[in-house]
């Protein structure tokens, strides 16, 4: 059987040449420069301490519990109201 290829090689899709076309526009020097700049920016980041991370996590967990409880109460109340109206 003959291999079927698209008459338009630039059409993309499932053409086997697509990855080569995609990577052709990327310059290695640009990629290296980008990675170097990312590393430099990450050095400037002020990372939270272990205690700050624990405190923030506790706040998030408490807020999730409170919002869940609130939504549960509202759900039960609205369910009872709908049941009273319908039947």
């Amino acid at each position: 059987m003959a291999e079927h290829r698209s008459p338009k090689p630039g059409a993309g899709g499932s053409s086997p040449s697509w990855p080569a076309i995609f990577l052709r526009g990327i310059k290695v020097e640009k990629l290296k420069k980008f990675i170097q700049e990312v590393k430099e920016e990450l050095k400037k980041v002020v990372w939270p301490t272990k205690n700050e991370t624990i405190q923030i996590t506790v706040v998030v967990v408490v807020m999730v519990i409170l919002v869940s409880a609130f939504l549960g109460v509202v759900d039960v109340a609205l369910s009872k109201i709908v049941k009273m109206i319908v039947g």
Side-chain angles (χ1 to χ4, degrees):
M1 281 193 170
E3 182 179 340
H4 177 67
R5 293 203 177 241
S6 171
K8 300 178 188 175
S14 62
S15 172
S17 64
W18 181 81
I21 292 171
F22 177 73
L23 294 175
R24 192 178 301 157
I26 297 177
K27 303 287 186 209
V28 175
E29 295 82 24
K30 280 186 172 184
L31 185 60
K32 286 181 181 179
K33 183 179 177 185
F34 173 75
I35 292 172
Q36 181 183 8
E37 289 175 357
V38 167
K39 286 180 180 179
E40 289 173 13
E41 288 298 320
L42 283 174
K43 290 177 185 175
K44 297 177 186 177
V45 173
V46 179
W47 298 101
T49 64
K50 183 177 179 179
N51 286 335
E52 289 173 332
T53 305
I54 292 170
Q55 290 174 349
I56 293 169
T57 302
V58 168
V59 168
V60 169
V61 169
V62 168
M63 289 304 297
V64 166
I65 291 170
L66 290 175
V67 170
S68 298
F70 172 75
L71 291 175
V73 169
V74 169
D75 182 47
V76 170
L78 290 176
S79 294
K80 288 186 178 188
I81 290 171
V82 169
K83 284 181 184 178
M84 286 178 15
I85 292 173
V86 172

